[in-house]
Amino acid sequence: MSLSFWERQSFQNWDYIVVGGGIVGLSTAISLKEKAPGADILLLERGLLPSGASTKNAGFACFGSLTELVEDIKILGEEGCLALVKRRWAGLQKLRQRVGDAGLGFQQNGGYELVSEGEVKYLPEIPGVNTLLKSFFGIDVFQEDVQLVQKFGFHKSVVKTVIANPLEGQLHTGSMMRNLYQIAAAKKIHVLTGCEVKQHEDLQSHVEVSAFSPGTNTDITFKAKKLAFCTNAFASQYFPEFDIKPGRGLVFVTEPMKQVPFQGTFHMDQGFYYFRNAGDRILLGGGRNLDFDKETTTDFGVNEVILAELKRLLAEVIAPGSSLKIDQQWSGIMAFGKTKEPIVKKVSDNITIGVRLGGMGVAIGTLVGEELAALAGS
Ligand SMILES: Cc1cc2nc3c(=O)[nH]c(=O)nc-3n(C[C@H](O)[C@H](O)[C@H](O)COP(=O)(O)OP(=O)(O)OC[C@H]3O[C@@H](n4cnc5c(N)ncnc54)[C@H](O)[C@@H]3O)c2cc1C
């Protein structure tokens, strides 16, 4: 069934089409509109709700724990690591400015890294990493504080000490995303959800994108001057030439507690495990490293082996003796590559991509959106 005369005039032609309604897609669309308020922008999201990582994550507003940064320095060098930290920080500040701390539910309760036997070797690296970061933040970011093991109630013989970072914050992931959708709506960005892009083509004079329309049982072709793909882990389907590996992450929240014994964001095992207070509950996630093969997938789902380990960590290390029950669990899909730097690139004259956000996309996502908008608009 063909489009009506009216549909062709009002819904088919756009200045920009953005594919993907996660933090990067929304940020790209909003940045495009900030640059060109008169531009007509269509954002297409395959899920009824965003269906990747942006509404599924743990809400850490972070830029890297000590052990993560030490490992990053090995791959990126000191300058490369500092540049990445600066981009994460810039993304967070831009996000806070755009949405506002109230809308984000942002709280700067500090971040902490639990040091077990395996991480003790990283402690002598604190002064060097602090010197590197001081050139940007102006303070010694990481401080070891062994008293925190007892204060927060962690298992004493497993957790040897804690490294504190006062600059880290946390936010309410759902509120962040809902606010971004509302900002997009206020800027008259047209959003279609439940709209999976199946094909796209750069025809030089314009781009065409087709998606299936269940109502009419036909494909609809949308046209635009420029197209931006913000589909993160799902991008390899169209762009197999890029190094993009999906990584599933599992998260759960406990039942409400009378009092959560800590406030803040907590990292363990080079960021493979993480937990925080989420209101009156503990949120805990991670464990992908227990089963890399099965977790290298774009399918949502719960890996029982990982779930069992997360439960054990909660009961034995994080809140020993508390017999807390799990209330809700879910998964989300991230994207990784050999390096932690996102891919922000032009792939043809009229098509750009901003993908592979890794495990700190809440932080860097807004900046990637801004960079992609600049590239798409050029
Ligand atoms: C469990 C978990 C915990 C995390 N915790 C944190 C954290 O605490 N702090 C942090 O900074 N980061 C965290 N992250 C990472 C962060 O959430 C991601 O890096 C970020 O959300 C990526 O945003 P994105 O917009 O690039 O991708 P996504 O949010 O995945 O968005 C891509 C969107 O594209 C859509 N899409 C895909 N294909 C198509 C198509 N063909 N047509 C239309 N739409 C399509 C998808 O449905 C999806 O909504 C976590 C991630 C997970 C999974």
Side-chain angles (χ1 to χ4, degrees):
M1 190 190 289
S2 57
L3 291 180
S4 72
F5 169 73
W6 314 112
E7 286 165 339
R8 280 174 208 272
Q9 293 210 334
S10 301
F11 289 96
Q12 194 172 29
N13 294 295
W14 304 87
D15 293 315
Y16 297 95
I17 295 177
V18 176
V19 183
I23 185 171
V24 174
L26 285 162
S27 303
T28 302
I30 293 168
S31 285
L32 280 168
K33 207 62 178 169
E34 284 171 355
K35 276 161 52 82
D40 245 353
I41 302 178
L42 174 67
L43 184 146
L44 305 174
E45 163 55 45
R46 64 179 185 155
L48 288 182
L49 295 178
S51 303
S54 296
T55 50
K56 312 285 189 186
N57 63 62
F60 283 39
C62 57
F63 52 84
S65 67
L66 175 82
T67 61
E68 285 173 299
L69 296 184
V70 169
E71 292 304 317
D72 288 351
I73 289 170
K74 288 181 191 161
I75 296 169
L76 299 170
E78 286 202 342
E79 260 181 44
C81 174
L82 184 61
L84 193 56
V85 167
K86 285 182 182 174
R87 289 180 77 199
R88 290 170 179 154
W89 185 257
L92 273 174
Q93 302 321 306
K94 177 91 198 168
L95 176 67
R96 290 177 67 186
Q97 186 196 340
R98 178 171 280 160
V99 178
D101 284 353
L104 291 174
F106 180 84
Q107 293 182 339
Q108 196 159 331
N109 290 332
Y112 304 88
E113 182 159 24
L114 279 62
V115 177
S116 55
E117 196 61 55
E119 286 86 49
V120 170
K121 63 174 187 264
Y122 290 94
L123 293 173
E125 309 282 351
I126 292 178
V129 176
N130 275 346
T131 304
L132 181 68
L133 297 186
K134 201 169 187 168
S135 64
F136 179 58
F137 291 112
I139 61 162
D140 283 331
V141 172
F142 296 111
Q143 305 280 349
E144 187 200 342
D145 187 348
V146 73
Q147 309 293 332
L148 294 176
V149 179
Q150 185 154 5
K151 183 178 168 199
F152 292 147
F154 302 141
H155 192 301
K156 277 190 229 142
S157 51
V158 176
V159 184
K160 303 293 176 199
T161 187
V162 172
I163 302 166
N165 166 3
L167 300 178
E168 205 165 292
Q170 55 185 274
L171 50 78
H172 187 299
T173 296
S175 182
M176 168 186 81
M177 286 299 289
R178 195 164 160 188
N179 272 281
L180 283 173
Y181 270 94
Q182 284 171 352
I183 292 168
K187 290 189 179 296
K188 298 204 165 106
I189 292 163
H190 194 79
V191 175
L192 293 180
T193 58
C195 186
E196 180 163 8
V197 168
K198 299 280 190 200
Q199 280 180 339
H200 69 276
E201 199 175 354
D202 189 342
L203 296 167
Q204 302 304 315
S205 59
H206 68 284
V207 288
E208 290 192 356
V209 164
S210 55
F212 179 69
S213 165
T216 52
N217 223 15
T218 50
D219 283 341
I220 292 183
T221 299
F222 298 103
K223 301 176 186 183
K225 293 175 189 149
K226 306 274 180 183
L227 172 63
F229 269 91
C230 307
T231 50
N232 203 31
F234 311 92
S236 42
Q237 181 189 353
Y238 297 125
F239 307 103
E241 66 273 29
F242 290 108
D243 166 32
I244 304 167
K245 275 213 170 58
R248 184 168 62 185
L250 177 62
V251 180
F252 66 59
V253 287
T254 64
E255 288 182 334
M257 304 169 73
K258 279 207 184 79
Q259 200 181 359
V260 182
F262 42 76
Q263 303 274 301
T265 47
F266 295 81
H267 310 253
M268 291 175 76
D269 203 0
Q270 285 174 45
F272 278 117
Y273 297 90
Y274 44 86
F275 60 96
R276 56 172 277 192
N277 64 301
D280 55 357
R281 302 163 191 259
I282 294 174
L283 176 151
L284 171 61
R288 222 167 32 89
N289 52 332
L290 287 180
D291 200 348
F292 271 130
D293 283 350
K294 274 203 190 130
E295 298 310 294
T296 305
T297 175
T298 50
D299 294 337
F300 292 88
V302 171
N303 183 321
E304 292 301 328
V305 174
I306 295 175
L307 182 62
E309 175 58 9
L310 291 177
K311 284 182 179 170
R312 187 197 68 77
L313 271 180
L314 178 69
E316 293 180 13
V317 179
I318 296 165
S322 63
S323 61
L324 278 166
K325 291 208 169 54
I326 309 309
D327 186 27
Q328 300 163 32
Q329 65 198 31
W330 65 92
S331 66
I333 312 293
M334 291 168 271
F336 299 98
K338 285 189 193 78
T339 123
K340 289 191 184 168
E341 280 154 337
I343 299 171
V344 183
K345 272 208 159 67
K346 217 168 196 165
V347 291
S348 70
D349 283 350
N350 298 311
I351 303 178
T352 47
I353 61 168
V355 298
R356 199 180 68 189
L357 273 280
M360 285 182 231
V362 169
I364 207 170
T366 308
L367 187 75
V368 168
E370 197 168 51
E371 292 170 351
L372 193 62
L375 199 60
S378 64

